[in-house]
Amino acid sequence: VVFVYRCPECHAVSRWFRASHPEITLNPHRWGRLCGEQEDLKVWLAQYLGIQLRVCMPLDWDHVWTEVFDGSNWIPLDQNCLHFARRLNEGIGSWTYVLAIADRCEDTEEVTERYLQHSNGTEEEVSA
């Protein structure tokens, strides 16, 4: 998939490549290395190794991260995602909902409040 973005101010056009295939993500030409491709690669490798992961995606923000199941809880692989909610009041985006999507339906859930609580952010901080 190729994404095309046209700047509304200067009308410049940007294109970038998006693929979930590890052969594309690991290419030597550096296309397809956004957070989504990195997380796709983690999921692909985890599936190969038999490790249960799920992908977390805010519905209204262009970022993803993965969580690993430790046998009783889902733990974020990248601890920085716990601080994203605190930064929402800096104008970097907004969260309406954050979905955690897993291979099994029973492990797929809406996790917005859990991330807001983990970040120690109040509703006022993240909605300001």
Side-chain angles (χ1 to χ4, degrees):
V1 175
V2 176
F3 288 93
V4 178
Y5 173 75
R6 181 180 303 274
C7 176
E9 294 177 14
C10 71
H11 305 290
V13 175
S14 298
R15 290 181 170 85
W16 66 96
F17 186 75
R18 174 83 165 94
S20 61
H21 299 288
E23 305 85 22
I24 301 298
T25 305
L26 294 173
N27 75 75
H29 303 293
R30 298 187 51 86
W31 18 273
R33 294 198 181 170
L34 301 171
C35 62
E37 283 81 9
Q38 293 170 11
E39 299 309 311
D40 289 345
L41 185 60
K42 287 179 192 174
V43 170
W44 176 83
L45 184 59
Q47 287 174 339
Y48 180 79
L49 297 173
I51 299 170
Q52 193 175 0
L53 291 186
R54 67 183 184 180
V55 177
C56 295
M57 299 183 297
L59 294 183
D60 43 10
W61 195 21
D62 185 22
H63 188 61
V64 298
W65 60 90
T66 50
E67 295 178 331
V68 62
F69 190 67
D70 71 358
S72 59
N73 295 304
W74 288 98
I75 309 295
L77 286 177
D78 179 1
Q79 295 298 314
N80 288 325
C81 68
L82 297 177
H83 304 291
F84 288 157
R86 274 188 142 334
R87 295 194 58 220
L88 294 176
N89 63 348
E90 296 173 13
I92 64 169
S94 64
W95 283 355
T96 304
Y97 292 103
V98 179
L99 296 181
I101 301 173
D103 285 340
R104 299 176 349 154
C105 289
E106 57 268 22
D107 294 325
T108 298
E109 62 182 322
E110 190 268 325
V111 294
T112 312
E113 288 303 315
R114 184 166 64 93
Y115 274 95
L116 294 178
Q117 290 171 358
H118 281 316
S119 72
N120 295 320
T122 65
E123 278 195 29
E124 289 109 26
E125 286 176 312
V126 296
S127 63

